[in-house]
Amino acid sequence: MSGFALMEFVTRRYQRTVTANANDTKLELLMFLSLVAITQPLALLATAKLGTWLAPTWQNRLADLPGWAMVGLLLVGDDMTQYWWHRLSHSPLMWPLHRAHHSASYMSIRITYRNNFFYYLMMPGLWIGGALLYLGVGGMVYAGYMVVKLLVILGAHCAWRWDEPLYRIRALHPLAWVLERTLSTPATHWAHHAITNEDGIGHYKGNFGNLLFFWDVLFGPAHITRRYPAQVGLIDDRLFGEEKWQHQMFYPVLQSQRAHSALRLGGKAYEAPPETHEVR
């Protein structure tokens, strides 16, 4: 995280493009703290307790598996389920729990964990990861897997677009072809955050992968352009004003009173007419 933050500042991408205000900062900081201090520890500790209670004979059953097999289980049990959870969160029912992640009008590592509190609390991958640790997946294997995953997802959100040289330098095009179909990159993930799909770059109904972009390639909604959208964020925030951080973080416990809000019972995502999406 420090390394990516440094690159955002050294390249001046942060200073030029990140337009965060106090509302953004509260949401991003409190969500990060709640994830690392509450949600992740709760998932790991609760699965361990439940395992001891419900399936004591299954503890460490997988401890003799080779490391590559443990990584394979984590890729399926954590990353692939997160892919489907993310994809489901773009449905009308689940959108309010994920909307906060898309409400930022900038890309930066600071938005990586910008989400709704209950979005992470119910995320299957966190609980499956805890179950796999109970079943014997090694702690060091899990830690190594998480470091690699963090490198990829932080890099995909980073204001510093590390993949740009891969597209400019012809000799690196074969490497780019492999990477962009395997891992999430800034170009593919920024497209997912685009404010519109109408420019041929934005693709917020696809490019759902977190660590592996391969899931998008495998299951259909991959969109690769090697370009970056002119704007990211949500059109309804531009038209009606941003939602308050507490409504974004704690919906449905706290609900918005804003016009055209998905963050209240009975509300739905705002769909503006095409001409409203023009870059101004």
Side-chain angles (χ1 to χ4, degrees), residues 166-167 170-182 226:
L166 300 177
Y167 313 137
R170 189 173 184 83
L172 296 178
H173 284 186
L175 175 62
W177 191 94
V178 173
L179 283 178
E180 66 194 358
R181 285 164 176 79
T182 307
R226 299 187 177 182

Side-chain angles (χ1 to χ4, degrees), residues 241-262:
E242 63 183 349
E243 297 277 18
K244 294 180 180 179
W245 71 267
Q246 59 268 37
H247 300 147
Q248 297 188 70
M249 183 172 177
F250 291 117
Y251 173 89
V253 176
L254 300 178
Q255 297 183 31
S256 172
Q257 300 301 314
R258 196 195 75 177
H260 301 290
S261 176

Side-chain angles (χ1 to χ4, degrees), residues 101-112:
H101 189 64
H102 286 266
S103 64
S105 59
Y106 48 86
M107 296 298 292
S108 167
I109 61 167
R110 58 182 288 162
I111 76 164
T112 304

Side-chain angles (χ1 to χ4, degrees), residues 12 35 58 61 78 89 97 111 116 119 124 127 129 139 145-146 155 160 175 191 194 205 214 222 228-229 240 251 257:
R12 299 196 62 80
L35 179 63
W58 283 81
R61 281 287 186 92
D78 172 72
S89 72
L97 298 185
I111 76 164
N116 179 279
Y119 176 84
W127 297 87
Y145 164 81
M146 289 305 300
W160 166 57
L175 175 62
K205 293 292 182 71
F214 174 72
Y228 309 90
F240 309 113
Y251 173 89
Q257 300 301 314

Side-chain angles (χ1 to χ4, degrees), residues 20 31 65 78 97 121 131 150 152 177 179 215 226:
M31 270 308 306
L65 287 178
D78 172 72
L97 298 185
L121 189 64
L150 280 170
V152 172
W177 191 94
L179 283 178
W215 305 127
R226 299 187 177 182

Side-chain angles (χ1 to χ4, degrees), residues 180-251:
E180 66 194 358
R181 285 164 176 79
T182 307
L183 304 174
S184 291
T185 63
T188 55
H189 197 69
W190 284 39
H192 177 71
H193 281 258
I195 202 167
T196 177
N197 287 348
E198 293 169 12
D199 58 3
I201 301 172
H203 192 55
Y204 53 80
K205 293 292 182 71
N207 292 16
F208 298 110
N210 290 274
L211 168 54
L212 294 184
F213 188 77
F214 174 72
W215 305 127
D216 287 282
V217 175
L218 179 64
F219 297 118
H223 183 61
I224 300 172
T225 66
R226 299 187 177 182
R227 295 184 292 164
Y228 309 90
Q231 293 184 354
V232 298
L234 297 174
I235 190 64
D236 52 310
D237 281 356
R238 305 287 179 93
L239 295 174
F240 309 113
E242 63 183 349
E243 297 277 18
K244 294 180 180 179
W245 71 267
Q246 59 268 37
H247 300 147
Q248 297 188 70
M249 183 172 177
F250 291 117
Y251 173 89

